[in-house]
Amino acid sequence: MSKFSSFSSGVVFFFFFILVICQVSEAARLVPTHRGHHISGFVTTKDTQFLLHGSPFLFNGFNSYWMMHVAADPTERYKISNVFRDASAAGLTVCRTWAFSDGSNQALDLQISPGVYDERVFQALDFVIAEARKYGIRLILSLVNNYNDYGGRPQYAQWAKSAGVQISSDDDFYTNPVLKEYYKNHVKKVLTRFNTITKVAYKDDPTIMAWELMNEPRCQSDTSGKTVQGWVQEMATYTKSIDNKHLLEIGMEGFYGDTMPEKKQNNPGYQVGTDFISNNLIKEIDFATIHAYPDIWLSGQNDYAQLGFVQKWMSSHWTDSRTILRKPLVFSEFGKSSKDPGYTPSARNVYMNAVYNSIYNFARRGGTIGGGLVWQIVAEGMESFYDGYEIVLSQNPSTAGLISGQSHKMSALSHTLSRKH
């Protein structure tokens, strides 16, 4: 990948970098300290806004998908506490993590086989929720994976095959009655779980901000989005029948489908079987999500082309959420990989700063976007979880300062909007 190939682009990058350094310096003075937090009230939505206690709720957040997995070993639980502590100190108030682990690693699986659960791993998730509550961080809990990491759709299909069900592909997950029943059973098991630490059922706990139906649903056999549409409608209705207190979202990346063909030009050159418009118009879905990985989706293009794509991606989805869906939007996965050619920590900061500025400016211009969740924050000593996007807050002071600055800006804007509200 050829980066910063001309003098003019180098000048732009230099001034952008200076801007980031100034903001990091400012942010360093704004880092809040942990003084004991209290979570009360469920986050709700009204039109295009998130609300908490009736006032606008804006946030800065992060992904740490690994928490339950790591907490399954009690000697490792300090890593969860450390991340929540450091995240809280940086003003982060929402964390997205997995509430699934399906048959892929017998020693650490939550769901060992359909309907059979490891109580020890469930108690690890209890701990994650209890620690989040302690540090004033709300959780978005995802209920299954699209991919075979931690089991996911492929594992569900394999379970059904082993039970003698005729399965033609992993996409049968969306249509086969047996697979759908497996998934519904998991949803019910998690939502009705009684937390052994907090003594509160998950479905009654305001620490949980939202449920996510699936991490990045995709369907190769039907790129129109209609197969996923039917599944989302059925599962959203089922989830809300058990728990109508919590918000619900799909977990989508934001790819456009056949509903509005003219919008497909915003996709990175392909579709994945979802339809951002129709899927999120489903009544039981409370807010929309987008992810963006231009370093993967537009591999080979330079930093400026990739950033340009992300800004257009955000703008398009913000507009559609505001005018068509009339629901809030969360940029729930973004980051910059250290595996990219020419990567430097300062280049990551420049990229993150641009994303953060866009989120803030969209929120300031009329809400709709509630916040962003950077991928991903890990604790010290977790090298085996490194994927190129990892951020250890205690080891990356400039990035931590940038994150703190965004937290402060979103919090201040939230207070300003609350006064107006």
Side-chain angles (χ1 to χ4, degrees), residues 66 70 76 79 83 377-386:
W66 45 267
V70 170
E76 297 284 291
K79 292 175 180 174
V83 164
I377 292 180
V378 299
E380 293 180 20
M382 287 184 59
E383 285 76 10
S384 64
F385 288 85
Y386 282 12

Side-chain angles (χ1 to χ4, degrees), residues 1-16:
M1 191 187 304
S2 116
K3 303 212 177 192
F4 322 133
S5 52
S6 69
F7 174 75
S8 60
S9 64
V11 170
V12 170
F13 178 80
F14 174 75
F15 281 110
F16 215 31

Side-chain angles (χ1 to χ4, degrees), residues 29-96:
R29 299 190 296 106
L30 301 170
V31 178
T33 56
H34 172 60
R35 288 188 296 272
H37 299 271
H38 178 65
I39 285 182
S40 68
F42 290 85
V43 178
T44 60
T45 62
K46 185 179 181 183
D47 300 322
T48 60
Q49 281 190 315
F50 288 105
L51 299 176
L52 182 59
H53 303 303
S55 295
F57 175 66
L58 298 175
F59 55 87
N60 192 26
F62 63 104
N63 286 273
S64 288
Y65 73 89
W66 45 267
M67 285 190 162
M68 178 183 69
H69 187 80
V70 170
D73 179 351
T75 67
E76 297 284 291
R77 288 186 177 180
Y78 70 92
K79 292 175 180 174
I80 286 84
S81 305
N82 288 352
V83 164
F84 280 141
R85 181 198 65 216
D86 292 349
S88 178
L92 294 163
T93 55
V94 175
C95 170
R96 177 171 170 262

